[in-house]
Every structure is written in C-alpha cells, then in structure tokens.
Amino acid sequence: MASYDTAKIDAILAKNEYAEANLLAILQDIQAAEGYLPRPALEHVAKSLGISIARIYSMATFYKAFSLKPRGKHICTVCMGTACHVRGAGRILDKIEENLKIKAGETTKDLLFTVERVNCVGACAMGPVVIMDGETIGNATANKINKVINDIKADSKKS
Amino acid sequence: MERIKSIKQLQDLEATLAAARKSDRPVVTVCGGIGCTANGCQKLVAEFKKLISEKNLGDKVELLVTGCLGFCEMGPVVVVYPQKTFYKKVQVADAADILDSAISGKAVERLLYTDAEGKKIEKEDDIPFYKNQKRELTGILGVIDPESIESYLAAGGYQALAKVLSGMKPEDVINDIIKSGLRGRGGGGFPTGKKWESCRKAADKLGASKRYVICNADEGDPGAFMDEAVLQGNPHTVIEGMLIGAFAIGSDEGIVYVRNEYPLAIKSLSAALAQAREAGLLGKNILGTDFSFDIRINRGGGAFVCGESSALIASIEGFVGEPRAKHIHMAESGLNDKPTVLNNVETWANVPLIIKNGVAAFTAIGTGDVTENPWNGSKGTKIFSLAGKVNNTGLVEVPMGATLRDIIFGVGGGIKNGKKFKAVQTGGPSGGCIPEKYLDMPVDFDELSKVGSMMGSGGMVVLDEDSCMVDFAKYFVEFLCEESCGKCTTCREGLARLKEILTRITEGKGRADDLELIEAVCETLSQGSLCALGGSAANPVLSTLRHFREEYEAHIFQKKCPGKVCKKLIKFSINDNCTGCTVCAKNCPQNCISGARKEKHVIDSAKCIKCGVCKEVCKFGAVTVE
Ligand SMILES: Cc1cc2nc3c(=O)[nH]c(=O)nc-3n(C[C@H](O)[C@H](O)[C@H](O)COP(=O)(O)O)c2cc1C
Ligand code: SF4
Ligand code: SF4
Ligand code: SF4
Ligand code: FES
Ligand code: FES
C-alpha cells in the first residue's frame, strides 16, 4: 500500500487530546473523515496512544458504527427498527439488494453504493425509512428508493 | 447572549424576554423534527424564508422552526399562532397561501385536518389526537426554537434552576424528587429521588469530591423516538434537569451519552450547551454562586447493549460496551470508579417541571399514592412513540394510568385501513406483546409487567390482523442475538437456539415439542444472564407464546401462518374476481403470472417467490393468499 498520510489522523488525535478514554470518539472521527477505518490509520493510532492494535480492533468490531472496508460513494441505509419492520422494511431491503446485486453490509464492485441496515433513526412515525446519503426519506417504497438509485447510476455513467 | 450574572437577573429575564419576544405578528410554526424532516420539511422552511424576504413580510409574520410537534403522521406540520390553526401534509406549493392566511387570519381550508366523520377541524387543540393527551413535557416543543436559549428562557426556562440556587439545600431538592414519586423513564422505573439520595449519601460517606451525572440518550429500543424528540426539540430542559441533579448530589461534571444515529439531536444539544455556557448557566460559579458544573457529549457507537448502565459507562471510558456485574452500586462506584447518577432523557426533563411547579402539581397526575413511598405509584405523564399499524403515528404524552385503549384508539385513532387490532408491543426488545383483552388496562410501571410486558422507555408499536406473532417474536430474537455482547453463555447461546427454533417454526418445520423447548430455553436465559438484555430477552417470546399460543400451534401442527406472513407457509393464487387487466403480470418480478387480456390469470406457484407485489397492485381483490 502506498504510504498513508497520517497528518489527518494526528489532527484527530490532537482534537481528542491523545486520550485513550476518547478512543471511541477518535475512531468515529476517522470513520467520518475516511468513510471507513483504514488499517494504516489504526496502526498510527495504536502507536501514538501506546496501545495494542488488538485493543483498537476490539472496539472497531464491537461497535456497529464502524466499517473496516472502504464504503461506496453513496450510502443507502435501510431502517430495520421495529416500527419500520412492521411496515415492510424487509421487502424494501430485498428490492434494493436485488437492484444492486449486493447484500446489506456490502459495497458494489464499482464502489458506487454501500447498502447498510440500521436499527432506528428516530423517524419511526414515518416508517419505513431509508437514508440516502444523509437524507432521511419517510414512507419509503421500494420503487421510490430504486428510482433514486437508478438516477445515481445513470448520472455516474454520464460523467 | 450575554452572561447572566445573578439569580435575580435570571428571574427577571423571563418577563423581559417574554415581553420582548411577544409581538402582534402571527407566528408561522414549522415542525423541524426528524419525522417531518423525513417528509421534506427543510424545503418548506426554505420556501417560507424565501417568500418572507421576497415579499418583505418580515414585519408582518414571524417564522419559527421547532422540534417535533407530535402528529408526525400528518407531516410536514405547520401551526399558525395566535389562532393555533393546524395544517397537515404541507407542501412547498402551499407556503404562499399559508403566509397570506396567517396575515388575513382566515384558515386555508384544504390543508385542515379532517376527522373520521369527514369534519374539518381548524384548531390544534380540538383535534382528537391532541385533545386526548396531557402534554406537560411535549407541549412546549411547539413554542420554542431549539436553537435559541432566549426562547427557552422566555417560556420560563431555567426558572427551576433559579429556585434551586436561591436557597434550596441539596437535601431539599432530593426530598422534593422523592416526594414527587418520579420514577426512571428509561425502562426500569427506579425512583429517581432515591437514586440521588443513595449517591449523595455514599459519596459523602466516602468523602468523594468527584461525582458524575450522566444522561442516557442512547434510546436503544428500535422503534422509539421520545428521547430524540425531547433532546432535539428542547435540549435546554435536559441541561436544566442535569444542573439540578448535579446540585443535588454535588457533582461538577455531566455527560450526555447520545445515540450516534441521532445527528439532529446531537447538533441541537451541542448548540444548546455552547449557549448555556455563554450565558453563564454552565461552567464555573454559575449565576455568581459557588456551584460549578459543565456537560460534555459522548456519541454512542451503535450498540444496543450500551444503553445498559454499566456498559454505557464502559463505553464512555473508551472500552467495548460489555456490562459488568453489579456487586458495587453505581452510586458508589460508577464512571471512573466515582459515585455516579445515571438517568434517562425524559427523567431529566421531568426534573425542572417538578421543581418549578411543585410536588403537588406533579403528584396530581398519575396512579397510586406516593406520599409514603415512591414505589407505590406512577406519577406524572409518560411520552410514548406511537408507531406501526395505527392511524395517528407520532409522539404521544398521556397521564400515567391512561389505558392502552385511550392511547391507541383515543389518541391514535385506531388501526390503519380499517383492519382489526391484534396486539401492541411495548417495552421494545425487553418488553412484550399485549393482546386485545388487556386494552382497558391502565398503563403504568406496575400494570404492564403483570401481563408479561413492561413499560420500557415508551416505544409502542401497534400490530394489526395481518401480523404474525411468531415472526414478530423472531424479529426481536434476531435483533437481540445480534446485539448480545456475548459475555454470558446463556444469553449468547440461548438466543442463538431461540432463533434457530423460531426460524424452523416459521418455515413449517416446527416440531411437536418445540414449545416446551422454547420455554426451557427462556427459563435458562432469564436466570443465567448477567445483564437485563439477556435477563429480559425472553419477554417478546414468552408474551407472544402466552397470549397467542394457538398461532404457534398453527405453524407447527397445521403448517399454516394465520397472519399470512411466513413465506414458506403461504401460497398465492388468483380468484374469480380477476378481470384480466394484466397489471399483476406486468409487475411480477418472476414473470410467473400468465393469462390473456380480459381473461382470468394464473400464478405458477413453482416460480412464485411470494413477494406480494401482485396482491398489492391488483385493484380487484383478485389475489388470494392462503
Ligand atoms: C440492554 C439494555 C438497554 C438499555 N437501553 C436504555 C436506553 O437506551 N435508554 C435508557 O434511558 N435506558 C436504557 N436502559 C436502562 C438503563 O440501564 C438505566 O436503567 C436507565 O438509563 C436509568 O435511568 P432512569 O432511572 O432515569 O430510567 C437499558 C437497559 C438495558 C439492560
Ligand atoms: S446478558 Fe447478554 S448482553 Fe448482557 S452481559 Fe450477558 S451476554 Fe452480554
Ligand atoms: S391485477 Fe388482479 S385483476 Fe388484474 S390480472 Fe392480475 S389478478 Fe387479475
Ligand atoms: S407473489 Fe410475487 S412472485 Fe409470486 S406471483 Fe405475485 S408478484 Fe409474482
Ligand atoms: S424504526 Fe425505523 S426509524 Fe425508528
Ligand atoms: S416530527 Fe414533525 S410532527 Fe413529529
């Protein structure tokens, strides 16, 4: 792997006072900046804080907010909370998976889309809910979401 | 805002700010809560802003963007004051008409709420959804701007803090909270005042100078959003509650542990903390007294178990959120081994209310008599998030002791699409399903546990006749199986076995002795688990088994799913209602429907994947599911 620029990570560590107690926040900041937790970044954190890489991996694998693999350019998150479940979230996820030919938790080969599941985002009254690149869509239907996905697909082909 | 230097200055501020903010202009209130956001309210807000500036209406109307107004089902919601006219499902194109009518005072007919009889209702307070509630905590969400401390102050905010700091002793505060009978809204229902008292006593005995107060805003119940709504819509009330709690136990540091999936709430709280600091309501020597206290935010990492108290503390300390054995009480040794008080968002939000309005006002609402003992009743109101197959989904606040029927039918307007009620799930993954025969049961901490459910934090998901209770139990078991931290064998393995058994039952491969097996596994699970995740994991299964045993039996013995949900046990076919319109054939993803135009169609069951699309699209009720 090409050398990894650790300046970004140093800034994150500084913001979190190089404190081991802030490890969760540090990893969250890295995930926000990089979209996932790159191995070299985690090695740098381990070295800087003087903790083992295993300690970091235990955190990165325990908390669902983290991904150890690069994620797609567009993130489609389907709410599978109870309220969305009883209003047919499962069927929407099925259709999205069918469209993109990947399963939840996976990323398309062209790195265009990642599909994820979440357990409730607080918009339960509007269930089923899907979050497309940060935009919360209520009363979602498979057609509505797949249209958004297909539009993005078409756009990316053009450029 | 300028630093408030004294208690007196704070007390005077309410009147001056209220007077300054009071205007003769009508106020157009747009809901900016998460539900309406999911319905596109941000575009609506932008449109209002654009129109007001384009038409120079700045001195004729005021725009206010609030937190959740409650009736999310009708979102995006707009309410116009002073008339309190309620507008539902407002689109960008409606903005101009609303502005005109706000100025003229005449309502926009087409956007009014229509009741079940088809009558249009103009005022928010006359709509059954609102009329049947008691909105002690949520009412204020409709009149304050979450991003402005002035608006909270003008509505009487921080006056409870002023009262506490002008002469109350910590013990007086603790006594008031004990006498109020306030019990934890996070699920357990532990008396809040008692918790504070034991922390204060333990810390004093230990001579501990460092003490923590924590707000649990992890809201792990998937399908609940009360804490989100309060934290996003009125962050200062949670801050004020924590300030009072900190004063009572003698703490100078507070932490709010917020669910990572709540970006709006985190944003709102962060801004509120900064404003409170600037106003001198957080930090050193608050209001010129010798009381100092500040709050920071910790974001969760998306793990349900982190809502559990000891796991939450481990998470704040920077570790994986594994629960610890509770030989030592948090009151003595919590965060960083220091005395700690942990309360839920809604619990904290009740504190200023009790202090400000007095104990008597609080105990006037609710069940039981708590004068001798806070365990003897459930006082105050409870906020529920009503969701699922009910007509009026949203944020609902009722007095403790309201019946399930009051909530689901009185406020919720009954079941969607005229279907029949089947059950209501309360308490999330630790709770259970309650059938129709208990609809008239009063809802409080003690009643719900009698029927195998629990109050939980306030999630309430309504199920109709088209739901399968076995499938629903399986849903929770799968959820818990994924969320179990894996420390205890009973929880880790027990949930995996339950999932296996329930899966085979829903696939028509259930065995005659499976129900006894389920009961045995549940027993072990409840007995042998360290934390309440495993300890109460049996509730969703046992409650459905207890109230809907015949449904389990139908799956196992007749290989039928009465709710017609379990794919392996149902079959799609086309009946004589078919007009041969071909719509289903065009939409079937498997291309397994055939038939000539205007002739009865046929489904090839061998290829059918039971996706249900044909039934959804058929306008003639010609698709039968058996
Ligand atoms: C698995 C599990 C998850 C929990 N999740 C939450 C939660 O999301 N929010 C909450 O306030 N309490 C939650 N609790 C309850 C807390 O452990 C704790 O009792 C509560 O926050 C105390 O505050 P209260 O007394 O004000 O209710 C959970 C408990 C368990 C066992
Ligand atoms: S009961 Fe389950 S979640 Fe709780 S500590 Fe044990 S394994 Fe972890
Ligand atoms: S949609 Fe209904 S009516 Fe039309 S062909 Fe299919 S089954 Fe027949
Ligand atoms: S259920 Fe789905 S796959 Fe089966 S016939 Fe209907 S549309 Fe086709
Ligand atoms: S269950 Fe989907 S948003 Fe809450
Ligand atoms: S979010 Fe708008 S009414 Fe609840």
Side-chain angles (χ1 to χ4, degrees):
Chain A
M1 184 177 275
S3 74
Y4 182 79
D5 176 17
T6 51
K8 232 186 317 197
I9 307 301
D10 283 325
I12 289 172
L13 285 164
K15 187 185 138 210
N16 290 290
E17 296 156 357
Y18 283 89
E20 187 185 341
N22 293 337
L23 187 53
L24 180 55
I26 292 169
L27 297 181
Q28 273 162 339
D29 289 346
I30 297 176
Q31 166 110 354
E34 300 276 11
Y36 75 112
L37 299 178
R39 170 90 192 187
L42 299 184
E43 279 166 1
H44 187 69
V45 172
K47 208 164 75 211
S48 309
L49 298 184
I51 57 178
S52 71
I53 190 86
R55 159 98 168 82
I56 296 182
Y57 269 83
S58 77
M59 295 285 282
T61 51
F62 179 86
Y63 290 103
K64 285 209 185 55
F66 301 122
S67 165
L68 291 165
K69 281 186 284 185
R71 295 190 303 163
K73 188 167 162 212
H74 301 277
I75 313 277
C76 175
T77 310
V78 184
C79 178
M80 297 302 255
T82 322
C84 292
H85 170 81
V86 304
R87 289 213 197 167
R91 211 180 317 148
I92 296 180
L93 180 62
D94 286 350
K95 294 279 164 183
I96 295 172
E97 290 177 338
E98 208 175 283
N99 183 353
L100 292 172
K101 302 190 178 57
I102 51 172
K103 289 277 168 208
E106 296 176 353
T107 301
T108 52
K109 277 210 195 72
D110 58 3
L111 286 184
L112 196 57
F113 290 98
T114 296
V115 178
E116 293 179 342
R117 305 159 45 123
V118 66
N119 290 315
C120 193
V121 295
C124 324
M126 279 2 288
V129 173
V130 173
I131 301 167
M132 201 68 207
D133 292 331
E135 192 193 336
T136 312
I137 304 171
N139 286 320
T141 60
N143 286 346
K144 197 148 104 181
I145 305 302
N146 273 333
K147 186 171 176 307
V148 179
I149 289 177
N150 293 340
D151 287 350
I152 296 176
K153 276 191 198 165
D155 265 0
S156 81
K157 283 218 184 77
K158 259 185 262 160
S159 53
Chain B
M1 146 158 213
E2 252 179 70
R3 195 179 169 84
I4 309 169
K5 294 190 191 69
S6 68
I7 299 168
K8 173 82 175 53
Q9 201 191 340
L10 171 61
Q11 283 164 332
D12 295 341
L13 213 55
E14 176 179 357
T16 27
L17 278 176
R21 292 179 63 84
K22 189 169 174 286
S23 67
D24 308 327
R25 295 176 297 169
V27 183
V28 175
T29 311
V30 186
C31 176
I34 174 77
C36 289
T37 300
N39 262 328
C41 72
Q42 295 312 330
K43 287 194 193 108
L44 185 63
V45 171
E47 178 73 7
F48 273 120
K49 282 191 182 149
K50 193 184 105 199
L51 290 173
I52 290 174
S53 94
E54 269 177 17
K55 300 188 178 174
N56 253 326
L57 296 174
D59 51 0
K60 292 215 180 72
V61 285
E62 185 186 330
L63 183 68
L64 175 68
V65 183
T66 65
C68 175
L69 295 176
F71 207 168
C72 315
E73 177 81 35
M74 294 296 152
V77 172
V78 173
V79 178
V80 177
Y81 287 81
Q83 293 89 349
K84 224 174 167 182
T85 315
F86 179 92
Y87 294 122
K88 59 164 193 181
K89 304 198 175 179
V90 179
Q91 301 304 309
V92 170
D94 300 321
D97 287 352
I98 291 183
L99 284 177
D100 287 348
S101 80
I103 295 165
S104 74
K106 203 174 165 312
V108 187
E109 284 281 324
R110 69 170 190 280
L111 299 173
L112 293 179
Y113 174 81
T114 324
D115 71 5
E117 278 90 53
K119 204 173 90 228
K120 285 201 186 309
I121 304 181
E122 207 172 299
K123 295 205 189 329
E124 177 183 299
D125 298 334
D126 297 333
I127 297 173
F129 176 83
Y130 288 104
K131 204 164 64 185
N132 296 320
Q133 295 191 45
K134 188 146 186 66
R135 308 183 78 227
E136 299 281 306
L137 294 168
T138 50
I140 189 174
L141 297 180
V143 294
I144 59 170
D145 171 357
E147 289 174 11
S148 148
I149 189 170
E150 284 91 349
S151 100
Y152 181 63
L153 286 164
Y158 288 109
Q159 293 305 321
L161 177 70
K163 186 169 166 187
V164 164
L165 292 182
S166 48
M168 282 180 89
K169 287 201 282 301
E171 291 74 18
D172 301 336
V173 176
I174 292 176
N175 259 331
D176 272 5
I177 302 298
I178 294 178
K179 286 226 182 64
S180 74
L182 175 64
R183 291 170 68 176
R185 304 305 199 227
F190 192 90
T192 307
K194 287 282 178 195
K195 191 187 273 187
W196 295 7
E197 183 182 50
S198 67
C199 181
R200 168 116 213 155
K201 281 192 177 150
D204 285 351
K205 206 168 134 207
L206 290 166
S209 57
K210 190 75 194 176
R211 305 161 190 194
Y212 293 101
V213 295
I214 305 179
C215 171
N216 190 343
D218 199 39
E219 194 152 63
D221 174 355
F225 59 99
M226 309 73 52
D227 294 348
E228 201 283 339
V230 171
L231 204 57
Q232 192 266 327
N234 192 5
H236 284 289
T237 209
V238 178
I239 298 174
E240 189 179 6
M242 290 177 75
L243 273 158
I244 295 168
F247 176 83
I249 69 151
S251 156
D252 66 352
E253 188 174 346
I255 293 147
V256 183
Y257 188 88
V258 195
R259 188 177 166 78
N260 195 37
E261 292 84 349
Y262 286 170
L264 289 185
I266 294 173
K267 184 166 157 252
S268 179
L269 178 64
S270 308
L273 287 174
Q275 289 172 344
R277 240 170 252 138
E278 200 183 285
L281 293 165
L282 283 176
K284 290 239 169 337
N285 300 102
I286 292 165
L287 300 173
T289 66
D290 50 15
F291 171 50
S292 301
F293 178 69
D294 210 333
I295 299 176
R296 63 185 160 93
I297 299 177
N298 262 69
R299 277 179 298 150
F304 172 67
V305 71
C306 285
E308 193 274 341
S309 48
S310 63
L312 182 139
I313 282 176
S315 182
I316 296 179
E317 290 172 352
F319 294 96
V320 297
E322 276 180 10
R324 299 169 193 174
K326 286 189 194 135
H327 321 296
I328 313 165
H329 258 276
M330 263 185 41
E332 287 165 38
S333 175
L335 179 60
N336 300 328
D337 302 323
K338 300 286 185 274
T340 303
V341 156
L342 169 74
N343 280 119
N344 164 267
V345 171
E346 194 182 332
T347 314
W348 287 119
N350 269 294
V351 170
L353 200 72
I354 294 168
I355 298 293
K356 192 168 159 224
N357 302 343
V359 168
F362 192 77
T363 52
I365 307 168
T367 61
D369 179 359
V370 295
T371 32
E372 298 294 322
N373 182 347
W375 286 103
N376 288 347
S378 304
K379 289 298 180 186
T381 60
K382 179 76 196 86
I383 310 178
F384 291 97
S385 68
L386 193 57
K389 303 290 185 67
V390 61
N391 275 318
N392 306 335
T393 58
L395 197 67
V396 171
E397 183 178 357
V398 291
M400 289 274 188
T403 66
L404 286 167
R405 193 183 300 280
D406 292 339
I407 301 172
I408 298 164
F409 291 86
V411 179
I415 310 305
K416 262 194 171 12
N417 303 325
K419 297 265 180 180
K420 259 186 69 188
F421 171 88
K422 185 163 192 175
V424 55
Q425 211 280 344
T426 65
S430 310
C433 286
I434 303 171
E436 190 168 11
K437 67 175 170 190
Y438 295 116
L439 274 180
D440 292 307
M441 201 179 64
V443 178
D444 70 10
F445 287 109
D446 309 308
E447 291 295 321
L448 287 182
S449 23
K450 286 185 197 154
V451 292
S453 183
M454 65 183 270
M455 177 93 117
S457 54
M460 203 173 257
V461 179
V462 178
L463 302 176
D464 67 6
E465 55 189 302
D466 293 339
S467 324
C468 168
M469 303 314 286
V470 187
D471 180 71
F472 199 51
K474 184 175 127 231
Y475 166 81
F476 281 111
V477 167
E478 278 171 349
F479 173 85
L480 289 164
C481 203
E482 249 175 65
E483 297 293 339
S484 161
C485 83
K487 193 166 175 167
C488 321
T489 322
T490 45
C491 172
R492 186 183 65 236
E493 297 301 322
L495 283 165
R497 291 294 79 75
L498 277 181
K499 179 175 157 185
E500 204 175 276
I501 302 167
L502 290 172
T503 304
R504 79 172 168 246
I505 295 179
T506 55
E507 289 179 348
K509 295 180 205 139
R511 303 172 193 160
D513 59 354
D514 270 350
L515 297 185
E516 283 91 77
L517 193 56
I518 288 177
E519 280 159 342
V521 176
C522 285
E523 173 74 22
T524 321
L525 195 55
S526 317
Q527 299 292 323
S529 301
L530 177 62
C531 85
L533 186 148
S536 58
N539 285 350
V541 182
L542 289 182
S543 68
T544 45
L545 192 54
R546 170 167 160 196
H547 300 303
F548 299 93
R549 198 179 184 95
E550 68 290 348
E551 243 179 78
Y552 279 83
E553 287 166 349
H555 282 75
I556 297 175
F557 301 109
Q558 285 104 50
K559 311 285 175 213
K560 284 240 182 296
C561 174
K564 296 180 183 148
V565 171
C566 298
K567 284 187 180 175
K568 294 262 163 74
L569 302 179
I570 53 173
K571 190 167 172 265
F572 283 77
S573 60
I574 293 175
N575 61 39
D576 290 341
N577 286 346
C578 178
T579 61
C581 75
T582 75
V583 168
C584 59
K586 284 196 191 105
N587 282 287
C588 171
Q590 293 297 97
N591 282 324
C592 65
I593 307 179
S594 55
R597 175 169 281 278
K598 296 198 178 158
E599 267 169 40
K600 186 177 161 184
H601 281 47
V602 187
I603 294 177
D604 176 357
S605 325
K607 279 203 207 142
C608 169
I609 54 166
K610 296 162 192 176
C611 68
V613 165
C614 49
K615 187 173 163 70
E616 231 167 74
V617 296
C618 176
K619 290 193 182 69
F620 305 93
V623 178
T624 312
V625 190
E626 285 167 314

